[in-house]
Amino acid sequence: MKLLPCHADSYQRRLDTEVLACEPGPSGFRITLADTVLYPGGGGQPADGGTIGGARVLDVIEADAPTYVVDAPVPVGPVAVEVDWARRFDHMQQHTAQHLITAIALRDLGLATTAFHLNPERSDVVLATPVVPPDVLADLSARVNAAIRAALPVRARLITEAELAEVRFRRLPGEHDGTLRVVEIEGVDRNTCGGTHVANLAELQLISFIAQENRQGVTRLHWLAGGRALAALDAATAREAELVGLLRCAPAEHPAAVARLLQQSKDQGRDLKAQATELAVFLGEQLAAAGPVGALHRPGGDLAFLNAIARAAQARRPDVLLLLTARAEGPAGAFLIAGPADAVARVAPAIATALGGQGGGRPGVFQGKATRLDQAAAAEALLTA
Ligand SMILES: [Zn+2]
């Protein structure tokens, strides 16, 4: 593997080097550098972000002969390369946390890691087990966080292949020349790795396991470390404070309060539906009693409600011809024409046009959406035209 300054010192945030070439490309300017401080990506860890002579790095193309795509041209010659430190340190925390989780899970719980993903929001390891039961997860959590409290040093050093037998092997990014880089958590783990790591487990602050997915005989265990765990705690605390205000009860009572509200809403929905049915029958019977032709314009409701009114009217008086509308927003809403099939066919096109409506139906029913329910009185006159 080619050793970069970020391998020797993950805390180096800036490097003075040289731009060897800068050419315009399809997605920005392609820059070749003499050297770099930006981690090129690999081993599950994404590439660093940063700037080269103030131009923002958009992509890393080649690690061994450092080549980048940046958003602005940079002159050939001396240049400062700066690491996006917030992103780098976050990756150092997540990556070191993965070493720790993988090592403890294997050594103390017999669970082997088969994959690692450092995602933008949360990271995961895939463990070779169908499920991690709650007591095992609690044990793993207690053990990794105890190691963090013990503030164990983390060191990276180079070894020869002859010394390799003693370390947990992982594939390295790119070719290597017989020299390997080993990352050691004192007393816990030695692992070949080309990534960037914190110098002491204390810098992880904490690891929080947040979810597991069990699929195809393996477990994908999601976790947050360091700044991500603290940010998640802050966000959860803010949401909790908001819920205290909304629900007007202590956080411990929130689940019960929400369950109660959901049940209440369900019950009320059922009551409302029963009342709407009663109202539809009442209105339908009134229309039927008033005459062979009738109209009703409601401030709310939907086509189901209008149909229920029409059915109730027709049950009382089969020859009734009705125009029913329900306003939703402004002059827009739903309309329904119901009655004897020939009468509906005769009046529907003109009424739909008057209401700025579109729709369809079946013999005896024409329904749809209208945009000009403010024209309801004019449309109503068309029933008897
Ligand atoms: Zn690593």
Side-chain angles (χ1 to χ4, degrees):
M1 67 186 288
K2 181 180 162 60
L3 287 173
L4 302 169
C6 60
H7 288 128
D9 178 7
S10 294
Y11 294 83
Q12 186 177 336
R13 304 184 194 193
R14 177 193 160 108
L15 177 73
D16 290 311
T17 180
E18 232 179 295
V19 173
L20 301 178
C22 176
E23 288 163 7
S27 55
F29 295 85
R30 184 175 284 212
I31 283 186
T32 312
L33 293 175
D35 197 2
T36 187
V37 71
L38 301 174
Y39 180 66
Q45 181 180 336
D48 277 343
T51 57
I52 299 171
R56 199 161 58 87
V57 172
L58 305 173
D59 197 11
V60 184
I61 294 175
E62 174 63 55
D64 282 351
T67 306
Y68 299 91
V69 178
V70 296
D71 66 353
V74 183
V76 168
V79 75
V81 178
E82 305 232 24
V83 176
D84 175 345
W85 176 247
R87 177 179 165 91
R88 157 72 72 83
F89 187 64
D90 169 55
H91 289 172
M92 285 160 63
Q93 285 186 318
Q94 308 313 314
H95 194 155
T96 311
Q98 179 264 318
H99 280 242
L100 180 61
I101 294 165
T102 291
I104 299 268
L106 184 65
R107 186 191 72 181
D108 297 351
L109 304 168
L111 298 173
T113 295
T114 59
F116 160 50
H117 307 97
L118 202 172
N119 302 312
E121 300 207 332
R122 57 195 202 172
S123 306
D124 66 74
V125 287
V126 177
L127 298 177
T129 181
V131 65
V132 181
D135 58 327
V136 176
L137 189 60
D139 193 12
L140 178 61
S141 177
R143 287 170 187 269
V144 297
N145 283 295
I148 293 169
R149 284 196 303 280
L152 302 174
V154 181
R155 294 183 204 92
R157 65 186 178 93
L158 301 177
I159 61 164
T160 61
E161 287 201 56
E163 296 173 83
L164 186 63
E166 305 166 35
V167 303
R168 193 160 57 76
F169 184 77
R170 257 180 53 187
R171 208 154 59 82
L172 292 168
E175 296 295 313
H176 60 80
D177 56 7
T179 306
L180 293 163
R181 182 167 176 265
V182 168
V183 176
E184 175 177 20
I185 301 173
E186 192 177 277
V188 176
D189 185 44
R190 277 187 289 180
N191 178 205
T192 59
C193 185
T196 59
H197 311 84
V198 297
N200 190 295
L201 287 190
E203 291 182 74
L204 298 187
Q205 297 176 291
L206 79 155
I207 293 173
S208 172
F209 294 99
I210 52 174
Q212 65 173 288
E213 294 169 71
N214 311 101
R215 239 180 286 167
Q216 295 172 331
V218 298
T219 298
R220 188 180 285 245
L221 193 56
H222 298 268
W223 41 272
L224 303 169
R228 292 189 186 195
L230 294 172
L233 179 60
D234 284 348
T237 305
R239 278 195 300 272
E240 191 176 271
E242 208 178 328
L243 285 174
V244 166
L246 287 170
L247 297 170
R248 298 185 178 282
C249 61
E253 295 162 29
H254 287 176
V258 171
R260 207 161 47 236
L261 284 173
L262 288 174
Q263 186 59 47
Q264 236 170 51
S265 162
K266 205 169 147 191
D267 292 346
Q268 284 168 352
R270 207 171 39 228
D271 289 351
L272 207 60
K273 206 170 162 194
Q275 284 166 8
T277 305
E278 272 183 51
L279 181 61
V281 169
F282 175 76
L283 294 172
E285 288 182 348
Q286 270 195 331
L287 282 167
V293 176
L296 184 68
H297 308 292
R298 299 280 306 169
D302 53 17
L303 276 173
F305 183 58
L306 300 183
N307 273 287
I309 296 173
R311 278 196 303 276
Q314 287 166 331
R316 171 66 65 95
R317 181 169 184 160
D319 68 336
V320 71
L321 176 62
L322 298 173
L323 168 62
L324 307 176
T325 68
R327 276 205 195 200
E329 217 171 291
F335 74 102
L336 170 75
I337 305 161
D342 57 340
V344 171
R346 193 176 65 244
V347 302
I351 292 179
T353 303
L355 292 177
Q358 280 190 329
R362 53 184 192 276
V365 173
F366 189 95
Q367 63 183 25
K369 290 202 161 113
T371 56
R372 297 298 309 272
L373 290 182
D374 54 331
Q375 298 300 310
E380 203 178 310
L382 296 169
L383 281 173
T384 49

